């Protein structure tokens, strides 16, 4: 199994629902779909979306620019913030700051950000073909949607926007579940038992 750092996040009460995406700026991450959904929601709901990604090639740079353009065209620069090439420690600050991680990608082999997020007690929304979606217990510590299904993804986003209680409940569930099953300490203990 993948193992992650388990650390309980400090709850800060805010009226805004903060969403997070962490990944490379490449087309299969499907960020344009995410921006389209948030552009439809921005007039009626109080949220922020933080997009954190790697830009280390021409392909990354081109997609990064298309994401920036889409945000500007839809006039939601006040709701969506983009950061590129952040250091690992800074990214973890966003896992703790944000309420929910969204992974809208297509054909995702195994998104590590899903695990890192869950290990911090941050619920996750991700597609059914993501290679790490089995770390999510659907409707317990996160929500799974049919990949590339805009209507369904929008519904999952609204589930968290409309209720801070849902966020708090899923966050607590995620922390307990990951501490019990996917901490380094737990894995090492089980590994030692096998050797004995």
């Amino acid at each position: 199994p993948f193992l992650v750092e388990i650390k309980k996040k400090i709850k800060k009460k805010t009226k805004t629902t903060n969403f997070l995406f962490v990944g490379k700026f490449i087309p299969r991450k499907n960020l344009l779909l995410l921006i389209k959904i948030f552009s439809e929601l921005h007039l009626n709901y109080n949220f922020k979306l933080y997009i954190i990604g790697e830009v280390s090639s021409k392909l990354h740079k081109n997609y990064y620019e298309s994401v920036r353009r889409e945000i500007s065209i839809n006039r939601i620069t006040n709701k969506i913030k983009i950061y590129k090439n952040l250091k690992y420690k800074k990214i973890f600050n966003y896992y703790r700051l944000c309420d929910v991680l969204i992974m809208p990608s297509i054909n995702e082999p195994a998104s590590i950000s899903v695990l890192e997020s869950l290990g911090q007690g941050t619920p996750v929304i991700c597609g059914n073909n993501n290679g790490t979606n089995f770390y999510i217990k659907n409707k317990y510590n996160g929500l799974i949607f049919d990949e590339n299904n805009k209507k369904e993804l929008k519904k999952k986003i609204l589930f968290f926007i409309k209720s801070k209680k849902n966020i708090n409940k899923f966050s607590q569930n995620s922390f307990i579940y990951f501490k019990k099953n996917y901490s380094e300490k737990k894995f090492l203990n089980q590994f030692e038992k096998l050797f004995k």
Side-chain angles (χ1 to χ4, degrees):
F2 290 110
L3 303 171
V4 291
E5 179 187 346
I6 311 293
K7 191 166 184 179
K8 193 167 189 178
K9 63 198 284 182
I10 298 161
K11 289 180 187 174
K12 289 182 181 176
K13 289 187 177 180
T14 59
K15 289 181 180 178
T16 307
T17 306
N18 295 309
F19 292 92
L20 175 66
F21 165 87
V22 177
K24 291 179 181 175
F25 281 99
I26 51 177
R28 72 173 174 80
K29 294 296 183 180
N30 216 8
L31 282 167
L32 298 180
L33 174 71
L34 198 57
I35 291 162
K36 185 148 186 68
I37 291 168
F38 278 110
S39 70
E40 292 171 5
L41 297 174
H42 88 280
L43 292 174
N44 299 313
Y45 299 101
N46 194 7
F47 66 82
K48 282 244 194 267
L49 170 62
Y50 296 89
I51 297 173
I52 298 173
E54 179 187 324
V55 179
S56 59
S57 72
K58 191 175 179 182
L59 173 70
H60 294 164
K61 191 174 181 189
N62 290 342
Y63 194 66
Y64 169 76
E65 292 301 333
S66 66
V67 167
R68 285 186 62 200
R69 262 194 314 275
E70 199 64 26
I71 292 167
S72 182
I73 289 165
N74 285 286
R75 300 181 181 189
I76 47 174
T77 52
N78 62 327
K79 297 269 190 172
I80 301 177
K81 302 294 175 196
I82 302 181
Y83 302 96
K84 62 179 180 176
N85 300 331
L86 287 186
K87 290 187 178 176
Y88 191 67
K89 282 188 178 180
K90 278 198 170 183
I91 294 171
F92 263 83
N93 291 336
Y94 283 92
Y95 285 128
R96 293 178 189 125
L97 164 76
C98 293
D99 298 303
V100 181
L101 177 102
I102 307 177
M103 187 51 61
S105 48
I106 302 163
N107 299 323
E108 182 65 56
S111 172
I112 301 302
S113 57
V114 166
L115 283 96
E116 290 172 339
S117 182
L118 291 167
Q120 305 302 303
T122 303
V124 172
I125 301 171
C126 91
N128 59 336
N129 287 329
N130 187 322
T132 47
N133 78 13
F134 63 89
Y135 288 91
I136 298 168
K137 292 181 80 176
N138 197 31
K139 299 180 183 174
Y140 177 77
N141 65 344
L143 298 173
I144 297 171
F145 68 97
D146 287 335
E147 187 178 274
N148 210 28
N149 185 323
K150 182 186 159 207
K151 187 179 177 182
E152 201 178 324
L153 177 54
K154 188 176 182 180
K155 190 177 171 183
K156 307 292 183 194
I157 290 167
L158 284 169
F159 174 83
F160 288 115
I161 287 179
K162 289 180 176 180
S163 174
K164 284 281 186 182
K165 283 183 181 178
N166 289 337
I167 293 167
N168 294 336
K169 183 181 171 188
F170 278 52
S171 178
Q172 185 67 19
N173 291 346
S174 182
F175 178 74
I176 291 166
Y177 180 65
F178 260 64
K179 189 175 180 183
K180 183 181 174 185
N181 296 291
Y182 299 112
S183 70
E184 290 174 1
K185 187 179 176 182
K186 175 81 175 175
F187 179 78
L188 286 171
N189 287 342
Q190 289 176 331
F191 210 64
E192 283 171 7
K193 280 179 187 177
L194 281 174
F195 276 107
K196 287 176 184 176

